[in-house]
Structure formats: C-alpha cells, structure tokens
C-alpha cells in the first residue's frame, strides 16, 4: 500500500529531526493507556486510520460490529501516504494524543518506528503464529522482539498496460505475448525501456507514467540501497554508485518515455482518462487506484512480468498505539482485519494482495479475476509475482526513508518539475544527504 509522491524539498531536511523528536517523545510516553472508553451509548468506539485504500469497506467493518455489538468503528482514510505519515509522526511527537486506536503503517516507515517501538502495543498472539510469510512477519517485528505491526498486504508487482494503445502502436496485446515482449521470466529494465522506445516511435503517448515510480521499482530490487546492513550506517550518497547508476539510467530514457507525472497528483489522475501513458509498474494494490481513475477506459490489462526479476512494492501493517483509549479492543479488531478471511475480502475490494500464507490456497484468491482489467486472472498473476520476489527483502535501516526522499526529490526536480538538469539535481541530493547530519 505504498505511494511515493513524497515531494516537498524541506521534507528531506526535516525528516531526521522529526524522527529524533519521536524518539525523545517516546522515551517519556511509553506507558499503556488503561481501561476502555465508551461513547454516549455505552459502546466502545474504535478509530482506525488508513491511507489510499486498504479494502476496508463499510460492509466489511459492519461484519465486525455485527459480531461485536458493543463496538462501533470510525474509519478515516488519508488520500496519500505522505498525509498519513505526517499525521502519525506529528501526533507521536506530541505523546500520542489524537492518534487512532489502530494506525495503518507503510512498510518503509517501519525502520524509523523501530526506534520508538515502546510507543506501540505488542501484538503477539497465538492467532498470529504461522499466519505470515516469514519476511513479512520480520518487517513487523521491532529489533527488541516486539511485534508492533500486523501485516495487511504485500505488493508483488506486475506490469499494467493499455492494450488498445499497444494495438495502435503495432505491439502485441495479449497478456502472455506482452509478458514475452518485455522479456518474460528474464525481463530486464533495459528491455522494458527498449520496448518503450519502440512504442513511442509509433505513438504520441508516453511509455510510462512516472520516473519516480520507476525509481521505486528499481531501488526496491537493490539489496541494501542506502545503508550498510551490518552496521546500519548510511552509505555516503556521493559514493553510492549503484543508486547513482539507477538515477542516471532513468534520466537517460525519461525525456522519451516518461509522462513526467507525479503519482497521486491531479495531473496523474487526469492522465488515466486522457491516454497519458501506456504502461505502469503495478503492485497488486495499484489495480484499485487504476480502476478508480480510469473508469470508462476499456483497454487496461495486466501482464505477468516485471523487469529485473520479482519486485515487491509496498505493503502495509496495522499498529495499535499504546496511547489509545481502547488498546485491548483495538488489538482484537486488528487481529480480525488481518486474518486471512478478511484479507481475501480486502483483495476483492481493493486489490490488496494478502500477506497471509493460508490465503494463497484459498480458491477465492487463486481463481480471482478482475473485470476491469479484461478479466485478467489477477489472483494467479499476483501469486506468480509473489513467488518471484526475493524471500530476503532489501535492507532498509532507520535512515532509509530520509535518504530515499533526497534521491526521489532530485529525480522529481528533473522529470516532473523540470527545474534542474540531472547533474545539478544530484549535487543538491548529495547536499541534502549531508544536511541530514549522519
């Protein structure tokens, strides 16, 4: 459940200070709130805060309240992950006042929250044992062994594409043929870009939506992009040849292939209706946002392929802040929402692919198709894509988010805002990195 429109320049500089503030605050606010708060009707009122679309529809939440008539649920949903993260960090820094009983967390925030794990309830429970793929469970577990996040979804990624635009450009349209066109099981980023050049040579439409998205996909395949896994120490960005190589490779093709859009922006929204691009990286959870924005456009489909091998983009967790007034009741709801049965329903609602092992053998998932994507067998496609993901996830330490933000901001200045040349933007990224004070 990850979006990556993290934009504002100052965010990078502030990020390090914000996390420090969180750490200091957590040191003074790690006690549990006790008791249960009820509303005027005598019912436990649980609040849950998510972002984008976790698939938690009113109907799904009503199933819980029907089985637990002493509970009412209020669900707030931020449009962007950056809004949700800002709300979370601001309130954590204030001691937790105003946080929801259950807070949705994006995977890239988890290393930072490890520093303040005592601000969250331990969600260990016999019900959780054996529920998750190992790496997902590890991501939700703090370094002190506390399970602070119950996994919701994972983000195995495929390629979503406009078959009608492919046909107009003389390219294959069948999903299996498109997968082979892009390199099949051995697909590479170079092949993806080469086919893009072929496409734009026969079309006025851009090949992909956002260079920032391409960066996210490529960085997600680097074992340790920004920090040393053995020490956690940040890698000097000025000497980080692997990340610089990715940055350069994207900037080399972006003038021809990119639609120069910032995902989750109004222009990005409009491009779905205006044939603004032909392909996009497509973690399972992205199928929901595509359908929301591209209603009435008939050509979308999903190819069972991803450049550079498997890729996992995003995935989220539910946490229970200790500052909440209904910690024990919140735990029960979080456990219920993240059980395989509910996660399969969330997948049907929003395309959020389950992280629960038992779900992968459920026929509801394995036989799932998506009408909007021309009846694409999305259940099997994303099972295949999840099997292609490296079982050892990339290392993301406590400074991953802030450093990645500096690099993404640089790429945005070049590709979206077009206010700097690549070398100038990289120089500023290195300066921003140095300003983080490592």
């Amino acid at each position: 459940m990850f979006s990556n429109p993290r934009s504002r320049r100052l965010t990078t500089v502030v990020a390090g200070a914000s996390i420090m503030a969180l750490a200091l605050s957590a040191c003074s606010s790690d006690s549990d709130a006790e008791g249960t708060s009820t509303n005027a009707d005598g019912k436990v009122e649980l609040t849950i805060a998510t972002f984008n679309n976790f698939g938690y529809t009113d109907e799904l939440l009503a199933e819980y309240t029907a089985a637990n008539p002493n509970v009412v649920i209020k669900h707030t949903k931020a449009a962007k992950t950056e809004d949700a993260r800002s709300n979370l960090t601001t309130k954590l820094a204030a001691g937790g006042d105003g946080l929801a009983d259950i807070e949705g967390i994006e995977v890239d925030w988890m290393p930072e929250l490890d520093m303040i794990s005592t601000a969250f309830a331990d969600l260990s429970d016999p019900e959780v044992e054996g529920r998750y793929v190992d790496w997902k469970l590890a991501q939700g577990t703090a370094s002190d062994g506390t399970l602070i996040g119950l996994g919701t979804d994972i983000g195995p990624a495929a390629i979503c594409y406009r078959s009608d635009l492919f046909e107009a450009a003389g390219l294959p349209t069948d999903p299996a043929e498109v997968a082979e066109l892009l390199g099949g099981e051995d697909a590479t980023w170079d092949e993806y870009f080469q086919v893009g050049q072929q496409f734009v040579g026969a079309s006025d439409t851009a090949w992909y939506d956002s260079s920032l998205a391409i960066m996210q996909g490529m960085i997600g395949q680097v074992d340790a992009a920004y920090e040393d896994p053995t020490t956690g120490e940040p890698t000097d960005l000025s000497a980080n040849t692997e990340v610089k190589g990715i940055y350069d490779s994207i900037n080399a093709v972006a003038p021809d292939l990119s639609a120069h859009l910032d995902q989750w922006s109004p222009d990005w929204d409009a491009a779905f209706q205006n044939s603004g691009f032909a392909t996009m990286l497509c973690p399972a959870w992205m199928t929901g946002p595509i359908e929301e924005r591209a209603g009435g456009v008939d050509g979308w489909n999903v190819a069972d392929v991803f450049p550079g091998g498997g890729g996992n983009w995003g995935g989220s967790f539910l946490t229970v802040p200790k500052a909440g007034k209904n910690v024990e009741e919140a735990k029960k709801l979080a456990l219920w929402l993240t059980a395989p049965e509910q996660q399969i329903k969330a997948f049907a609602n929003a395309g959020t692919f389950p992280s629960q092992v038992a779900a992968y053998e459920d026929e509801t998932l394995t036989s799932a198709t998506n009408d909007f994507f021309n009846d694409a067998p999305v259940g099997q496609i994303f099972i295949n894509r999840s099997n292609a993901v490296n079982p050892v996830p990339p290392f993301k330490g406590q400074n991953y988010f802030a450093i990645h933000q500096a690099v993404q901001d640089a790429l945005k200045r070049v590709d979206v805002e077009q206010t700097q040349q690549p070398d100038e933007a990289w120089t500023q990224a290195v300066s921003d990195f140095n300003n983080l004070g490592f």
Side-chain angles (χ1 to χ4, degrees):
M1 294 293 297
F2 176 84
S3 71
N4 198 39
R6 300 155 182 156
S7 55
R8 294 177 289 275
R9 288 177 52 195
L10 287 177
T11 304
T12 302
V13 178
V14 170
S18 297
I19 296 306
M20 181 62 72
L22 293 181
L24 292 173
S25 176
C27 290
S28 60
S29 61
D30 62 352
S31 61
D32 290 271
E34 296 182 354
T36 299
S37 175
T38 57
N39 64 12
D41 296 326
K43 294 187 175 183
V44 176
E45 184 174 289
L46 294 178
T47 54
I48 176 170
T50 63
F51 47 86
N52 295 344
N53 192 347
F54 278 51
Y56 298 159
T57 61
D58 292 343
E59 291 76 13
L60 180 62
L61 297 177
E63 288 185 33
Y64 187 82
T65 54
N68 299 272
N70 64 318
V71 172
V72 294
I73 301 172
K74 290 189 175 180
H75 180 201
T76 58
K77 186 168 66 174
K80 299 181 179 181
T81 55
E82 62 186 13
D83 296 337
R85 184 178 184 276
S86 176
N87 178 71
L88 176 76
T89 56
T90 299
K91 291 176 178 174
L92 279 172
D97 289 343
L99 287 171
D101 293 303
I102 298 175
E103 289 279 347
I105 303 293
E106 204 278 325
V107 62
D108 283 357
W109 314 348
M110 294 302 284
E112 295 176 326
L113 298 182
D114 185 30
M115 290 188 285
I116 53 170
S117 61
T118 55
F120 296 94
D122 187 355
L123 301 175
S124 299
D125 188 278
E127 190 176 333
V128 176
E129 294 179 6
R131 174 184 282 186
Y132 296 109
V133 293
D134 292 343
W135 57 268
K136 185 70 174 182
L137 182 64
Q139 288 176 334
T141 304
S143 56
D144 65 1
T146 304
L147 182 63
I148 64 172
L150 294 176
T152 58
D153 64 316
I154 58 177
I159 295 292
C160 289
Y161 68 100
R162 284 277 302 274
S163 60
D164 54 328
L165 298 179
F166 271 48
E167 182 176 17
L171 297 181
T173 60
D174 177 78
E177 293 179 338
V178 171
E180 286 303 312
L181 176 70
L182 297 175
E185 294 182 358
D186 300 319
T188 66
W189 289 102
D190 284 344
E191 287 175 296
Y192 176 69
F193 295 146
Q194 288 167 8
V195 176
Q197 295 287 2
Q198 183 181 349
F199 173 84
V200 298
S203 173
D204 293 331
T205 299
W207 176 237
Y208 63 72
D209 62 330
S210 169
S211 288
L212 298 172
I214 301 299
M215 169 68 81
Q216 187 69 29
M218 297 179 78
I219 287 291
Q221 294 173 328
V222 177
D223 291 339
Y226 300 117
E227 298 144 300
D228 185 333
T230 59
T231 66
E233 290 296 318
T235 303
D236 183 355
L237 190 60
S238 67
N240 194 329
T241 56
E242 190 164 17
V243 170
K244 182 60 160 52
I246 290 172
Y247 174 85
D248 288 341
S249 69
I250 295 172
N251 281 316
V253 300
D256 293 331
L257 305 186
S258 175
H260 310 294
L261 297 168
D262 190 9
Q263 288 192 334
W264 317 102
S265 68
D267 287 343
W268 184 70
D269 292 345
F272 284 93
Q273 292 292 328
N274 299 330
S275 298
F277 51 88
T279 70
M280 60 186 299
L281 307 191
C282 195
W285 52 262
M286 186 64 89
T287 57
I290 292 173
E291 184 174 354
E292 290 172 1
R293 290 160 175 79
V297 178
D298 296 331
W300 281 96
N301 214 317
V302 186
D304 188 356
V305 65
F306 194 75
N312 183 77
W313 180 353
S316 298
F317 298 84
L318 297 183
T319 63
V320 176
K322 283 184 178 178
K325 298 177 180 178
N326 304 292
V327 171
E328 292 305 317
E329 289 292 339
K331 285 182 182 178
K332 295 176 186 176
L333 175 57
L335 283 167
W336 186 82
L337 283 171
T338 53
E341 297 83 359
Q342 279 63 251
Q343 282 304 126
I344 289 174
K345 294 175 183 176
F347 174 73
N349 293 335
T352 50
F353 192 78
S355 57
Q356 294 77 4
V357 176
Y360 300 159
E361 298 179 356
D362 191 302
E363 187 177 356
T364 305
L365 180 68
T366 60
S367 64
T369 59
N370 189 315
D371 294 345
F372 178 78
F373 288 89
N374 286 285
D375 295 322
V378 290
Q380 192 58 55
I381 287 175
F382 288 112
I383 288 174
N384 294 343
R385 291 294 90 214
S386 68
N387 289 334
V389 174
N390 187 339
V392 180
F395 176 76
K396 297 180 180 180
Q398 295 175 344
N399 299 299
Y400 176 92
F401 186 93
I403 303 171
H404 186 55
Q405 182 73 63
V407 176
Q408 287 282 66
D409 284 350
L411 189 58
K412 183 176 180 178
R413 290 190 294 273
V414 177
D415 185 63
V416 179
E417 299 170 352
Q418 301 184 20
T419 57
Q420 290 182 334
Q421 293 300 309
D423 288 347
E424 181 185 9
W426 182 258
T427 297
Q428 183 172 330
V430 172
S431 177
D432 289 343
F433 169 85
N434 292 333
N435 287 337
L436 290 171
F438 300 127

